[in-house]
Amino acid sequence: MSDGLRARVRAGDREAFAELYAEYSRAVYNHAYRLTGDWSVAEEVMGDTFLDAWRTRARLEPGDGTLKPWLLGVATNKARNANRGIGRRLAFLARRPAPAPVADFADETAGRIDDARQLAAVRTVYGRLRRGEQEVLALCVWSGLDYAQAAQALGIPVGTVRSRLSRARARLRKLAEQRLAEERTEPPHRRGEVQREAAFAALPYQEFQEEPR
C-alpha cells in the first residue's frame, strides 16, 4: 500500500480508495461473515461498508495509522443492522437439507477427530455469546486487531475490550465444553434443527486461548 493513503482517501482520491478496497475488502468480508453467519449478507455488509467509508471519508482523523480498524468498525455497525433480520434467514436455512459429508480416505488420528469435534462445538455455540462478545472475538482473534485498534473500531475504552474478550473466551470455552458433553448423550441430529454457522472452518480451537497479536 502506498504512503499517505489516509490523506489521499480523506482528499477523495479515487485511486487511493481503490487501493484501500484491494487491501481490505477480504478482511471486511470475512469479518462481516463471522458476525452474520450468512455469505450473501456478508457481501451486502461489505458493499455497504465501503460505500459508507467513501461517503464519510472526510471524517477520518489525520495520521499514518492503518485504516483497518476504521473499516472494521463501520462493518461491525452494518452487521448489527443486518442481524436484526437474522430470524428470517435462520428460518430459511432450517428448511435446507444438511450438506453431504465430505469423504476423507486418509487415516484419521484420535487427536484430529477430537479437534474437529471441538471446532464444530465452537461453531455451534458462538451465536449464544452476547453481541459485544462476538464482536471483540471477531476483531481481536480473527481479524488480528490489538486492544487499542479494537477499541477504536467499536468506539469503546481499551479496558472494556480487554474485559469483554476475557469473558468471551471463558464463556465460549464453557459453552463448547457443554456442547461436547451434550453430544455424548443426545439422540441423532433432528432434521430441520436450526444451527447458526460461522466462518471459523480454518480456526484452531486453541486459538481462543491465545492473546491477540
Side-chain angles (χ1 to χ4, degrees), residues 4-11 57-67 152:
L5 182 68
R6 179 184 290 259
R8 292 167 59 206
V9 168
R10 290 180 73 238
R57 62 191 182 278
R59 302 177 192 171
L60 270 174
E61 295 292 333
D64 298 322
T66 174
L67 293 174
Q152 177 188 342

mmCIF file of all heavy atoms in Angstrom, residues 4-11 57-67 152:
data_model
loop_
_atom_site.group_PDB
_atom_site.id
_atom_site.type_symbol
_atom_site.label_atom_id
_atom_site.label_comp_id
_atom_site.label_asym_id
_atom_site.label_seq_id
_atom_site.Cartn_x
_atom_site.Cartn_y
_atom_site.Cartn_z
ATOM 1 N N GLY A 4 0.932 7.652 2.582
ATOM 2 C CA GLY A 4 -0.025 8.737 2.590
ATOM 3 C C GLY A 4 -1.417 8.344 2.154
ATOM 4 O O GLY A 4 -2.194 9.213 1.721
ATOM 5 N N LEU A 5 -1.749 7.071 2.287
ATOM 6 C CA LEU A 5 -3.053 6.613 1.819
ATOM 7 C C LEU A 5 -4.188 7.297 2.566
ATOM 8 O O LEU A 5 -5.189 7.700 1.966
ATOM 9 C CB LEU A 5 -3.170 5.094 1.960
ATOM 10 C CG LEU A 5 -4.491 4.494 1.461
ATOM 11 C CD1 LEU A 5 -4.602 4.625 -0.048
ATOM 12 C CD2 LEU A 5 -4.607 3.032 1.863
ATOM 13 N N ARG A 6 -4.046 7.452 3.872
ATOM 14 C CA ARG A 6 -5.104 8.064 4.665
ATOM 15 C C ARG A 6 -5.402 9.480 4.165
ATOM 16 O O ARG A 6 -6.563 9.845 3.978
ATOM 17 C CB ARG A 6 -4.704 8.094 6.137
ATOM 18 C CG ARG A 6 -5.727 8.741 7.065
ATOM 19 C CD ARG A 6 -5.190 8.803 8.490
ATOM 20 N NE ARG A 6 -5.118 7.475 9.071
ATOM 21 C CZ ARG A 6 -6.016 6.989 9.929
ATOM 22 N NH1 ARG A 6 -7.067 7.729 10.286
ATOM 23 N NH2 ARG A 6 -5.887 5.787 10.439
ATOM 24 N N ALA A 7 -4.354 10.262 3.942
ATOM 25 C CA ALA A 7 -4.546 11.632 3.472
ATOM 26 C C ALA A 7 -5.181 11.647 2.084
ATOM 27 O O ALA A 7 -6.040 12.490 1.789
ATOM 28 C CB ALA A 7 -3.215 12.376 3.453
ATOM 29 N N ARG A 8 -4.779 10.720 1.251
ATOM 30 C CA ARG A 8 -5.325 10.667 -0.111
ATOM 31 C C ARG A 8 -6.798 10.260 -0.090
ATOM 32 O O ARG A 8 -7.605 10.784 -0.849
ATOM 33 C CB ARG A 8 -4.505 9.704 -0.960
ATOM 34 C CG ARG A 8 -3.085 10.188 -1.251
ATOM 35 C CD ARG A 8 -2.239 9.076 -1.820
ATOM 36 N NE ARG A 8 -2.820 8.552 -3.049
ATOM 37 C CZ ARG A 8 -2.619 7.303 -3.491
ATOM 38 N NH1 ARG A 8 -1.888 6.449 -2.763
ATOM 39 N NH2 ARG A 8 -3.177 6.902 -4.614
ATOM 40 N N VAL A 9 -7.128 9.318 0.790
ATOM 41 C CA VAL A 9 -8.537 8.915 0.908
ATOM 42 C C VAL A 9 -9.366 10.077 1.427
ATOM 43 O O VAL A 9 -10.460 10.367 0.916
ATOM 44 C CB VAL A 9 -8.667 7.684 1.827
ATOM 45 C CG1 VAL A 9 -10.133 7.436 2.187
ATOM 46 C CG2 VAL A 9 -8.085 6.448 1.147
ATOM 47 N N ARG A 10 -8.862 10.755 2.441
ATOM 48 C CA ARG A 10 -9.581 11.901 3.000
ATOM 49 C C ARG A 10 -9.821 12.977 1.944
ATOM 50 O O ARG A 10 -10.836 13.675 1.961
ATOM 51 C CB ARG A 10 -8.804 12.509 4.169
ATOM 52 C CG ARG A 10 -8.761 11.646 5.408
ATOM 53 C CD ARG A 10 -7.974 12.290 6.539
ATOM 54 N NE ARG A 10 -8.736 13.395 7.131
ATOM 55 C CZ ARG A 10 -8.300 14.644 7.204
ATOM 56 N NH1 ARG A 10 -7.127 14.972 6.709
ATOM 57 N NH2 ARG A 10 -9.039 15.562 7.784
ATOM 58 N N ALA A 11 -8.876 13.111 1.011
ATOM 59 C CA ALA A 11 -8.983 14.129 -0.027
ATOM 60 C C ALA A 11 -9.887 13.705 -1.181
ATOM 61 O O ALA A 11 -10.114 14.482 -2.107
ATOM 62 C CB ALA A 11 -7.601 14.478 -0.560
ATOM 63 N N ARG A 57 -15.463 9.766 4.300
ATOM 64 C CA ARG A 57 -14.006 9.803 4.278
ATOM 65 C C ARG A 57 -13.440 11.083 4.900
ATOM 66 O O ARG A 57 -12.361 11.073 5.490
ATOM 67 C CB ARG A 57 -13.485 9.656 2.840
ATOM 68 C CG ARG A 57 -13.934 10.784 1.912
ATOM 69 C CD ARG A 57 -13.624 10.464 0.459
ATOM 70 N NE ARG A 57 -14.004 11.567 -0.429
ATOM 71 C CZ ARG A 57 -15.233 11.779 -0.874
ATOM 72 N NH1 ARG A 57 -16.220 10.940 -0.504
ATOM 73 N NH2 ARG A 57 -15.488 12.791 -1.686
ATOM 74 N N ALA A 58 -14.160 12.184 4.769
ATOM 75 C CA ALA A 58 -13.660 13.455 5.295
ATOM 76 C C ALA A 58 -13.583 13.460 6.814
ATOM 77 O O ALA A 58 -12.905 14.318 7.398
ATOM 78 C CB ALA A 58 -14.542 14.605 4.807
ATOM 79 N N ARG A 59 -14.266 12.524 7.479
ATOM 80 C CA ARG A 59 -14.239 12.475 8.936
ATOM 81 C C ARG A 59 -13.018 11.739 9.486
ATOM 82 O O ARG A 59 -12.813 11.698 10.698
ATOM 83 C CB ARG A 59 -15.504 11.787 9.459
ATOM 84 C CG ARG A 59 -16.805 12.459 9.020
ATOM 85 C CD ARG A 59 -17.991 11.663 9.525
ATOM 86 N NE ARG A 59 -19.235 12.106 8.912
ATOM 87 C CZ ARG A 59 -20.400 11.470 9.041
ATOM 88 N NH1 ARG A 59 -20.462 10.363 9.795
ATOM 89 N NH2 ARG A 59 -21.485 11.916 8.434
ATOM 90 N N LEU A 60 -12.226 11.150 8.598
ATOM 91 C CA LEU A 60 -11.036 10.435 9.042
ATOM 92 C C LEU A 60 -10.087 11.374 9.761
ATOM 93 O O LEU A 60 -9.820 12.488 9.304
ATOM 94 C CB LEU A 60 -10.315 9.816 7.839
ATOM 95 C CG LEU A 60 -10.694 8.407 7.422
ATOM 96 C CD1 LEU A 60 -9.976 8.043 6.123
ATOM 97 C CD2 LEU A 60 -10.354 7.412 8.510
ATOM 98 N N GLU A 61 -9.551 10.907 10.867
ATOM 99 C CA GLU A 61 -8.543 11.683 11.580
ATOM 100 C C GLU A 61 -7.243 11.651 10.791
ATOM 101 O O GLU A 61 -6.877 10.627 10.201
ATOM 102 C CB GLU A 61 -8.309 11.105 12.972
ATOM 103 C CG GLU A 61 -9.511 11.203 13.895
ATOM 104 C CD GLU A 61 -9.819 12.644 14.283
ATOM 105 O OE1 GLU A 61 -8.879 13.466 14.279
ATOM 106 O OE2 GLU A 61 -10.998 12.925 14.575
ATOM 107 N N PRO A 62 -6.510 12.755 10.734
ATOM 108 C CA PRO A 62 -5.217 12.740 10.038
ATOM 109 C C PRO A 62 -4.218 11.855 10.763
ATOM 110 O O PRO A 62 -4.333 11.612 11.971
ATOM 111 C CB PRO A 62 -4.788 14.210 10.050
ATOM 112 C CG PRO A 62 -5.527 14.798 11.211
ATOM 113 C CD PRO A 62 -6.838 14.075 11.291
ATOM 114 N N GLY A 63 -3.239 11.361 10.034
ATOM 115 C CA GLY A 63 -2.229 10.499 10.628
ATOM 116 C C GLY A 63 -1.775 9.452 9.638
ATOM 117 O O GLY A 63 -2.141 9.480 8.457
ATOM 118 N N ASP A 64 -0.955 8.532 10.120
ATOM 119 C CA ASP A 64 -0.396 7.499 9.250
ATOM 120 C C ASP A 64 -0.806 6.089 9.665
ATOM 121 O O ASP A 64 -0.295 5.114 9.133
ATOM 122 C CB ASP A 64 1.142 7.586 9.249
ATOM 123 C CG ASP A 64 1.640 8.914 8.704
ATOM 124 O OD1 ASP A 64 1.028 9.421 7.746
ATOM 125 O OD2 ASP A 64 2.630 9.441 9.256
ATOM 126 N N GLY A 65 -1.710 5.951 10.629
ATOM 127 C CA GLY A 65 -2.088 4.625 11.100
ATOM 128 C C GLY A 65 -2.887 3.842 10.079
ATOM 129 O O GLY A 65 -3.450 4.394 9.125
ATOM 130 N N THR A 66 -2.958 2.532 10.296
ATOM 131 C CA THR A 66 -3.726 1.665 9.418
ATOM 132 C C THR A 66 -5.197 2.038 9.432
ATOM 133 O O THR A 66 -5.733 2.468 10.463
ATOM 134 C CB THR A 66 -3.556 0.186 9.830
ATOM 135 O OG1 THR A 66 -4.435 -0.636 9.028
ATOM 136 C CG2 THR A 66 -3.904 -0.023 11.296
ATOM 137 N N LEU A 67 -5.846 1.849 8.304
ATOM 138 C CA LEU A 67 -7.271 2.141 8.185
ATOM 139 C C LEU A 67 -8.140 0.917 8.468
ATOM 140 O O LEU A 67 -9.359 0.995 8.396
ATOM 141 C CB LEU A 67 -7.579 2.669 6.781
ATOM 142 C CG LEU A 67 -6.971 4.038 6.454
ATOM 143 C CD1 LEU A 67 -7.216 4.396 4.997
ATOM 144 C CD2 LEU A 67 -7.553 5.110 7.357
ATOM 145 N N GLN A 152 -10.848 1.341 19.072
ATOM 146 C CA GLN A 152 -11.119 2.367 18.070
ATOM 147 C C GLN A 152 -12.269 1.945 17.158
ATOM 148 O O GLN A 152 -13.163 2.742 16.848
ATOM 149 C CB GLN A 152 -9.867 2.622 17.234
ATOM 150 C CG GLN A 152 -10.064 3.622 16.097
ATOM 151 C CD GLN A 152 -8.847 3.694 15.185
ATOM 152 O OE1 GLN A 152 -7.743 3.280 15.548
ATOM 153 N NE2 GLN A 152 -9.050 4.217 13.989
#
